Amino acid sequence: MSEPSVPGGRGAVLDLPCGETKRVRELDLGKREFDCPCGDSHAVVMDVHPPDRFLPEFLVDILQETIETTSDDMPEFGTAHLMGIVLEEFPEAVVSEDVSEDGELGAGIVWVTDFDSRRLHEIIVELVVELMEHAVSHADDDDVVSEFESKMLQFDVGEFVDQYRAQRDLDPEPYM
């Protein structure tokens, strides 16, 4: 967990999965990852980052139309939901902080992962594919299920992530 805001405007401090700490105010809206004293890079995600940071817009649209959310604060499927899926799957590798009271940051929630931004991108795509596979498995049409499973066997997550990041120019530096 993290410690609460510190007097003097220094803000919250995250206890990272690697054992190091990071002041939330050292992060900014455009940062996708940072190099840590532990020697690794850690991905940074904020609730204001659009989900199309990770997934094509057409797929985000489908997920938003299909998935009902139960939160009044986040009525539409988005980045917070994607990070919730990651957190559920990798609880020891993700830390988060509610920074909604910190007007200088410009975000409501920040997540830092034990993975770099590229690996996080792969994980999100893998988890969304699993979610889609589960949904399709409930279809009454065996041909649709077989076709989807066949296409997923041909789908290369790493190649998709490489192409998507190249198309969107997603290096670890600011994307906004």
Side-chain angles (χ1 to χ4, degrees):
M1 293 291 160
S2 61
E3 60 187 60
S5 293
V6 181
R10 295 181 306 204
V13 176
L14 292 170
D15 291 323
L16 303 176
C18 66
E20 298 288 338
T21 60
K22 183 75 170 175
R23 291 208 175 279
V24 172
R25 291 241 183 115
E26 293 175 10
L27 306 173
D28 62 57
L29 292 176
K31 189 174 284 285
R32 279 201 200 90
E33 69 181 32
F34 63 89
D35 293 328
C36 181
C38 76
D40 291 334
S41 293
H42 299 296
V44 176
V45 180
M46 297 184 186
D47 62 337
V48 295
H49 293 166
D52 64 1
R53 168 180 169 181
F54 303 105
L55 303 168
E57 196 169 319
F58 82 89
L59 183 54
V60 171
D61 291 343
I62 291 170
L63 291 170
Q64 289 174 339
E65 291 172 15
T66 308
I67 297 175
E68 292 182 27
T69 64
T70 57
S71 170
D72 290 336
D73 294 334
M74 296 175 216
E76 186 173 75
F77 184 85
T79 301
H81 299 93
L82 292 173
M83 291 308 297
I85 296 167
V86 174
L87 184 58
E88 185 176 317
E89 197 70 26
F90 300 95
E92 302 299 318
V94 181
V95 295
S96 64
E97 180 70 24
D98 179 345
V99 294
S100 57
E101 299 293 320
D102 186 339
E104 289 186 33
L105 205 57
I109 304 171
V110 63
W111 295 268
V112 175
T113 71
D114 207 23
F115 334 106
D116 65 19
S117 62
R118 186 186 189 292
R119 179 64 187 130
L120 174 62
H121 197 156
E122 289 177 338
I123 288 169
I124 287 174
V125 171
E126 290 166 356
L127 293 173
V128 168
V129 167
E130 284 179 23
L131 181 72
M132 292 166 49
E133 285 175 335
H134 178 76
V136 169
S137 73
H138 292 288
D140 292 333
D141 188 336
D142 290 339
D143 291 338
V144 169
V145 173
S146 294
E147 181 181 349
F148 183 82
E149 288 174 350
S150 173
K151 289 189 185 293
M152 287 302 98
L153 288 174
Q154 299 169 18
F155 182 69
D156 183 319
V157 171
E159 183 178 323
F160 168 82
V161 168
D162 286 342
Q163 290 177 2
Y164 192 73
R165 291 171 74 85
Q167 172 191 353
R168 304 234 341 146
D169 191 24
L170 295 181
D171 62 30
E173 293 305 311
Y175 71 96
M176 297 184 102

